[in-house]
Amino acid sequence: MEPYLEVRNHCVLLWLGDGQNRLRTPYVKKLLQLLDTILTDDKYSECTALITVGKGRYFSNGIDLAWLGERETEAELTTFLQALSKLLAQLLTFPMLTVAAMNGHAFAGGALIALVHDKRIMQHSAGWLCFPEVFLKLQFRKAMLCVIESKVPKEAMTDFIVLGHRFTAQQAADARLVNKAIPKEADILAVAEQITREALLMDSPRMRGGEYSREGIAMQKESVYRLPILELLKETEAKSFRMSKL
């Protein structure tokens, strides 16, 4: 199943698919296309939050390294990593509140996709959150490491990034890698939607100083994540990439 969009109340759902949702050039470009659609199609003009979710056992199992290794030219590798950097930058600065609803495993590039969301929830017994690069002997690119450093608490960096530990939902919540661990039987979309309502103060009687706008949210994200955004933009313009650095 290809990724697709769905409107649910004030949220737009970005469905990643029902397989491993591995990152390849066509898949990444499809996600970019859908994000552009949200911002340009009037159908989504009233939406105030984006929820990204998968179906089945996986949120995303990351970059398809076997597929990437079959690319015959450096240009193909460059095209993929440029597209991935663009996707990360767009999610990091997306002009809505974003929630990664981790229905299952989020490994490597899939974990990175989750991290660039504003908030993350994860279901108990549904999968692991993990960066296994240490076992693959792959070095993080500077841009990706900047993203990780902007999202991961310093005290979690050794276990999560250096040692590649697999985190359950509760372990991830305890390490502040996700905002909430929820029961496996819970409706993950209902929980994600409630989190957006709380974060956007939609049910709060207290003064908010005005309604949230897409422009205002984008401006704040561009300021908060200035360094990783600059590094990701450099990647989108890079002429070539080394396979040992992903």
Side-chain angles (χ1 to χ4, degrees):
M1 181 184 74
E2 276 201 344
Y4 68 95
L5 300 174
E6 178 186 348
V7 174
R8 171 172 167 149
N9 298 321
H10 66 284
C11 300
V12 54
L13 309 182
L14 172 57
W15 288 99
L16 295 176
D18 58 0
Q20 293 193 28
N21 306 324
R22 290 231 180 225
L23 305 176
R24 308 179 183 95
T25 300
Y27 183 87
V28 171
K29 288 186 173 181
K30 178 63 177 179
L31 294 180
L32 284 167
Q33 176 191 337
L34 292 175
L35 292 177
D36 286 339
T37 298
I38 295 171
L39 301 180
T40 57
D41 192 327
D42 288 343
K43 177 180 178 181
Y44 308 101
S45 61
E46 299 300 316
C47 295
T48 57
L50 169 71
I51 298 173
T52 303
V53 64
K55 291 184 177 181
R57 293 179 56 204
Y58 295 90
F59 177 78
S60 172
N61 208 15
I63 296 173
D64 188 339
L65 294 178
W67 172 87
L68 201 60
E70 294 170 356
R71 299 311 94 195
E72 296 181 351
T73 67
E74 185 178 278
E76 290 177 292
L77 173 62
T78 299
T79 296
F80 168 71
L81 290 175
Q82 285 176 336
L84 180 58
S85 295
K86 185 176 180 181
L87 175 64
L88 295 173
Q90 189 155 345
L91 282 170
L92 194 60
T93 60
F94 204 68
M96 297 181 187
L97 180 70
T98 60
V99 178
M102 285 180 279
N103 56 290
H105 298 300
F107 272 71
L112 203 57
I113 294 293
L115 284 181
V116 291
H117 286 71
D118 300 317
K119 293 183 178 291
R120 290 161 294 284
I121 61 175
M122 189 174 175
Q123 284 187 301
H124 286 294
S125 304
W128 291 302
L129 178 64
C130 177
F131 279 105
E133 277 72 4
V134 61
F135 304 108
L136 301 173
K137 296 182 176 63
L138 290 173
Q139 188 175 6
F140 288 101
R141 297 193 61 78
K142 183 178 180 180
M144 295 181 181
L145 194 55
C146 279
V147 170
I148 291 168
E149 289 173 340
S150 73
K151 292 287 189 173
V152 175
K154 286 185 178 180
E155 58 270 23
M157 287 290 284
T158 297
D159 288 349
F160 191 39
I161 305 303
V162 177
L163 299 178
H165 287 191
R166 294 181 175 187
F167 283 72
T168 64
Q170 190 58 56
Q171 289 169 337
D174 291 343
R176 295 190 293 124
L177 301 173
V178 302
N179 299 87
K180 192 170 188 177
I182 65 174
K184 186 176 182 180
E185 63 275 10
D187 182 340
I188 193 169
L189 292 179
V191 175
E193 184 179 338
Q194 183 58 35
I195 283 176
T196 68
R197 294 190 68 86
E198 293 170 358
L200 295 172
L201 305 176
M202 296 179 72
D203 302 316
S204 174
R206 68 180 185 269
M207 294 296 292
R208 293 177 292 174
E211 297 296 325
Y212 291 105
S213 68
R214 292 184 180 184
E215 181 182 10
I217 288 176
M219 288 174 62
Q220 300 312 311
K221 289 184 180 183
E222 287 167 6
S223 297
V224 171
Y225 302 117
R226 181 174 176 272
L227 290 179
I229 291 167
L230 288 174
E231 291 300 326
L232 287 168
L233 291 178
K234 288 178 186 177
E235 298 277 70
T236 65
E237 300 172 357
K239 302 297 183 183
S240 63
F241 292 89
R242 286 171 49 201
M243 186 64 181
S244 61
K245 284 191 175 186
L246 290 177

